Amino acid sequence: MFPGQRVEPAAVEVDHAETIRYLRPDLPPLSDIARYYALSEEARWYSNGGPCYERFARRLAAYVGGDVHCVPVSNCTLGLMAALRDLVATSAPSHALVAVPSFTFIATACAIRWAGFEPLFVDIEPDSWQLDPDGLAEALARHDGTVAAVIGCSTFGTPAPAAVRAAWRAICADADVPLLIDSAAGFGALDQDGRLLGRQGETEVFSFHATKPFAIGEGGTIVTPDPDAAARLRQMINFGLDPNTHTSAVAGLNAKLSELGAATGLAMLDRFDEALAARRASARRLQARLAAYPLTYQAGSEGSTWQGLQLLLPDTEVRERAVSLAHALGVEIKTYFDPPLHRHPAFAQARVCGGLEVTEAIAGRSLSLPMANHLGARPIGRIADLLQQCFECSAS
Ligand SMILES: Cc1ncc(COP(=O)(O)O)c(C=O)c1O
């Protein structure tokens, strides 16, 4: 078996009309959305803080709990840009770099560049696959005086272990650099202490994209414990306009969530607990079917929202076999995040701190299996067959 060699499945006939999709987005039905959208129609108010937007912002904050403020946005990427500009405006606006893990989705690095900074890629730690505190401390020491902010991620919608997050916080406080958290897929995720993401103390940004467990199509929210920051961010996402003076003190952007998006979000909130519980049960059933295989899961994944069923295979060769087999068997899989961001052409010239060895090793073994709120016995069986054949091939 050579790397990249395609594996033929053992005489399995696949009906490709029945391909198991990687994700099966599950948005609220139109009738549920319409009940809320009627408020906007009645007010003839379709954006700029209409009745659904205001209600959605309040209900999101109540859902996260712990005295937070929510600023719904049109997507997480724009939310990250706005939050980053705001955090840096009050610290070190002339500094050029933002430290960030390379093992995350490309949107994080795009947001950094569009906000006017350059990423400084830092390695991850081997168990949680999240920004490595030692690597972060080294990056801040090596680039002392040029790092404007740090973005930690809740990679794959999984909260960083409490000790890791506390270390980010302490390292950033020591270096006097603001910390922002990209929790795109993590709305509803629980940390080790059973607290929802968003209430750990930092400003955090979530995505409500159709592929996320909290799905409204396009959208997201910034969550912050700081009421002044929330007020500034509301202006920032509306061109920076101050509602009193009708002038902009900062050059903002348009990142407002429309009324239709907010109405969808309200309908989603009504069903979210049930949807997330079903998704977690699906993940547990699939994990139970795969228990015989040497798979590694992310530390902290018990509290994850399980956007996909993310795991590590024993090595890159087995991963390549899984990719070939998945194609042949009609199971859509992903290899997030391979390549990691520092190997995307757009960021190949960006600074890296060290050799990113853990990032490279984990990227080469990573596999994301299909997930849905309701993953039935048949698809689970077919996904399990994929893994079985994958390991049978590797034993022979
Ligand atoms: C880590 C991370 N950050 C940011 C985003 C961007 O989210 P959006 O599509 O809402 O802009 C994503 C989307 O998948 C993501 O995974």
Side-chain angles (χ1 to χ4, degrees):
M1 178 71 209
F2 302 102
Q5 183 183 339
R6 195 166 159 138
V7 182
E8 293 308 324
V12 179
E13 279 195 23
V14 180
D15 176 358
H16 277 279
E18 283 187 30
T19 293
I20 299 176
R21 301 280 306 276
Y22 171 59
L23 297 177
R24 210 145 31 89
D26 192 3
L27 274 77
L30 200 52
S31 52
D32 290 359
I33 299 167
R35 281 195 301 118
Y36 288 108
Y37 194 56
L39 298 171
S40 320
E41 289 185 313
E42 202 176 307
R44 292 204 165 265
W45 197 338
Y46 301 104
S47 188
N48 294 42
C52 285
Y53 184 93
E54 295 302 339
R55 213 184 250 226
F56 188 42
R58 281 195 303 274
R59 279 191 59 193
L60 280 173
Y63 186 89
V64 174
D67 232 4
V68 299
H69 305 266
C70 289
V71 181
V73 286
S74 48
N75 61 62
C76 174
T77 307
L78 288 169
L80 286 168
M81 287 164 58
L84 192 52
R85 294 288 327 168
D86 182 66
L87 279 173
V88 172
T90 50
S91 62
S94 61
H95 294 173
L97 298 176
V98 173
V100 65
S102 175
F103 192 68
T104 176
F105 186 58
I106 189 73
T108 321
C110 293
I112 290 170
R113 185 168 287 166
W114 276 92
F117 304 96
E118 275 301 306
L120 164 60
F121 292 120
V122 179
D123 212 351
I124 51 173
E125 63 106 15
D127 298 327
S128 67
W129 320 338
Q130 315 267 14
L131 181 63
D132 174 37
D134 292 338
L136 176 62
E138 191 184 329
L140 293 181
R142 273 202 213 171
H143 296 271
D144 188 23
T146 56
V147 178
V150 171
I151 298 187
C153 297
S154 304
T155 302
F156 302 121
T158 300
V164 170
R165 183 136 175 181
W168 297 346
R169 190 174 296 134
I171 291 162
C172 288
D174 258 11
D176 202 17
V177 169
L179 172 63
L180 173 66
I181 310 291
D182 177 351
S183 288
F187 193 81
L190 296 165
D191 71 8
Q192 282 170 324
D193 301 323
R195 282 182 312 169
L196 282 170
L197 269 185
R199 52 185 298 186
Q200 281 75 4
E202 283 79 29
T203 297
E204 205 147 335
V205 190
F206 296 88
S207 172
F208 298 155
H209 186 260
T211 52
K212 299 290 178 278
F214 191 104
I216 69 168
E218 289 281 0
T221 192
I222 306 171
V223 180
T224 176
D226 177 354
D228 297 333
R232 286 194 307 271
L233 285 163
R234 277 193 67 137
Q235 292 184 25
M236 177 84 90
I237 63 159
N238 187 32
F239 314 105
L241 280 168
D242 180 327
N244 299 314
T245 63
H246 304 289
T247 58
S248 295
V250 295
L253 71 171
N254 183 358
K256 300 185 297 288
L257 182 67
S258 73
E259 281 291 287
L260 190 52
T264 312
L266 286 164
M268 189 67 206
L269 270 173
D270 290 340
R271 69 208 309 263
F272 186 53
D273 282 343
E274 211 178 304
L276 190 53
R279 195 174 192 91
R280 287 186 168 129
S282 291
R284 280 195 299 272
R285 281 198 301 277
L286 182 51
Q287 282 184 306
R289 275 298 302 269
L290 304 180
Y293 307 114
L295 309 175
T296 305
Y297 294 99
Q298 185 181 21
S301 60
E302 311 76 41
S304 184
T305 52
W306 295 108
Q307 179 173 1
L309 194 97
Q310 185 61 42
L311 52 86
L312 300 187
L313 289 166
D315 56 48
T316 302
E317 210 172 294
V318 178
R319 208 276 302 275
E320 282 178 12
R321 201 172 300 139
V323 170
S324 293
L325 277 165
H327 181 78
L329 293 170
V331 177
E332 259 182 28
I333 49 94
K334 302 284 175 185
T335 53
Y336 292 135
F337 294 106
D338 191 16
L341 302 190
H342 67 283
R343 286 202 276 112
H344 283 242
F347 294 101
Q349 308 304 322
R351 310 233 178 146
V352 295
C353 186
L356 305 187
E357 289 86 359
V358 181
T359 298
E360 292 289 1
I362 284 182
R365 296 166 53 199
S366 85
L367 186 73
S368 202
L369 294 174
M371 188 40 61
N373 291 350
H374 300 278
L375 198 61
R378 282 191 61 202
I380 286 180
R382 280 181 56 196
I383 297 165
D385 287 348
L386 160 64
L387 270 293
Q388 186 184 344
Q389 289 199 32
C390 184
F391 284 105
E392 269 171 12
C393 286
S394 69
S396 60

